């Protein structure tokens, strides 16, 4: 199958899965059957699996698409990628206040609250910032047309998802409290702190999550060559995607 189409299918699959599961007409039917834990776990497992699968497909099939740039020989390139991936890990810590229940590994909290402290003083969307930085880093590394399709497609999906689905849903749930928070904290990281609308409070930071993510980051750096080798010996997703596309079309 054409790798351009294959990459587009991976982006579409991730987007459809991520969009449909949180929607009320799906959630209201499946959550009572699966329970909170089962529903959250299965949803998050699918999101992580499909995102990882799209990266694996990019590694395996991306070289078959047009090469747009190659910065790997530049002295500034590797430090830039390490900085971007370090920032990815930093903003991923934004999931810590949601607890284990966010991943479907624990019971739901007795009372849901609008999180406004810690990482959420820096930006309203730390997880989206982490995804955006990851897309930029990986696209710079691969430098081919498939990587561009991947990053532009997922970036567009995340922007549309925030505007069309997430923000209206949160506003409907929290009303004036969310509007006040939205005016105070900018989506772009650190802008509100630089403008004096918010302040950085270290005691609110998820230090345990930072420690875990720092270890993961170190592991990625130290085991980089091994991880690259693994991506080439894992099952060829191009065959799976090609079979699916042939059946579908």
């Amino acid at each position: 199958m054409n790798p351009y189409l294959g990459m587009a299918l991976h982006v579409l699959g991730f987007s459809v899965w991520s969009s449909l599961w949180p929607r009320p007409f799906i959630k209201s039917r499946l959550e009572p059957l699966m329970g909170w834990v089962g529903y959250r776990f299965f949803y998050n497992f699918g999101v992580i699996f499909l995102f990882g699968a799209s990266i694996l497909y990019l590694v395996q099939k991306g070289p078959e698409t047009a090469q747009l740039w190659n910065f790997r020989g530049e002295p500034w390139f590797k430090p830039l990628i390490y900085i971007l991936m370090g920032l990815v890990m930093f903003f991923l810590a934004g999931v810590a206040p949601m607890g284990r229940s966010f991943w479907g590994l624990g019971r739901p909290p007795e009372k849901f609250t609008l999180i406004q402290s810690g990482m959420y003083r820096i930006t309203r969307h730390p997880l989206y910032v982490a995804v955006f930085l990851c897309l930029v880093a990986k696209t710079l590394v691969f430098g081919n047309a498939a990587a561009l399709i991947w990053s532009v497609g997922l970036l567009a999906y995340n922007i549309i998802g925030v505007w069309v689905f997430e923000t209206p849903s949160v506003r409907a749930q929290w009303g004036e409290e969310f509007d006040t928070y939205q005016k105070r904290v900018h989506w772009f990281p650190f802008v509100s702190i630089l403008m004096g609308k918010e302040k950085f409070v270290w005691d609110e930071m998820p230090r345990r999550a930072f420690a875990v993510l720092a270890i993961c980051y170190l592991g990625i750096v130290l085991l980089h060559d091994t991880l690259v080798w693994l991506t080439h010996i894992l099952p060829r997703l191009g065959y799976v995607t090609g079979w699916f596309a042939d059946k579908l079309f």
Side-chain angles (χ1 to χ4, degrees), residues 27-198:
K27 188 176 181 179
S28 62
R29 289 166 172 78
L30 293 184
E31 191 176 303
L33 297 175
M34 303 173 68
W36 165 274
V37 172
Y39 185 83
R40 290 297 307 179
F41 180 82
F42 195 61
Y43 164 64
N44 282 295
F45 176 83
V47 168
I48 294 169
F49 174 80
L50 290 171
F51 187 75
S54 68
I55 295 178
L56 185 58
Y57 187 84
L58 180 58
V59 172
Q60 295 174 346
K61 304 294 285 185
E64 298 178 19
T65 63
Q67 190 69 33
L68 305 177
W69 60 78
N70 186 354
F71 299 129
R72 297 188 185 188
E74 301 294 336
W76 51 265
F77 184 63
K78 187 176 286 187
L80 173 63
I81 298 303
Y82 283 156
I83 290 170
L84 288 174
M85 292 309 297
L87 289 171
V88 169
M89 293 299 181
F90 174 79
F91 285 106
L92 276 178
V95 77
M98 302 177 190
R100 295 193 308 155
S101 63
F102 175 81
W103 301 103
L105 299 174
R107 294 179 179 275
E110 293 183 5
K111 182 181 180 182
F112 290 92
T113 59
L114 180 65
I115 303 172
Q116 304 180 48
S117 59
M119 299 293 296
Y120 292 83
R121 293 182 185 273
I122 297 173
T123 171
R124 295 198 304 268
H125 305 291
L127 297 184
Y128 288 111
V129 172
V131 169
F132 170 73
L133 291 170
C134 181
L135 294 174
V136 170
K138 294 297 183 184
T139 303
L140 287 174
V141 168
F142 290 108
N144 53 48
L148 196 60
I149 292 171
W150 179 68
S151 59
V152 171
L154 289 181
L155 179 59
Y157 161 71
N158 279 285
I159 292 173
I160 293 170
V162 169
W163 284 347
V164 176
F165 297 119
E166 185 170 308
T167 297
S169 175
V170 175
R171 179 175 284 115
Q173 185 173 4
W174 302 107
E176 189 176 338
E177 185 179 0
F178 173 73
D179 289 334
T180 303
Y181 170 68
Q182 188 178 37
K183 291 175 183 176
R184 192 176 73 249
V185 178
H186 201 275
W187 65 268
F188 198 89
F190 295 104
V191 166
S192 298
I193 292 174
L194 293 173
M195 293 175 65
K197 293 183 177 181
E198 264 295 353

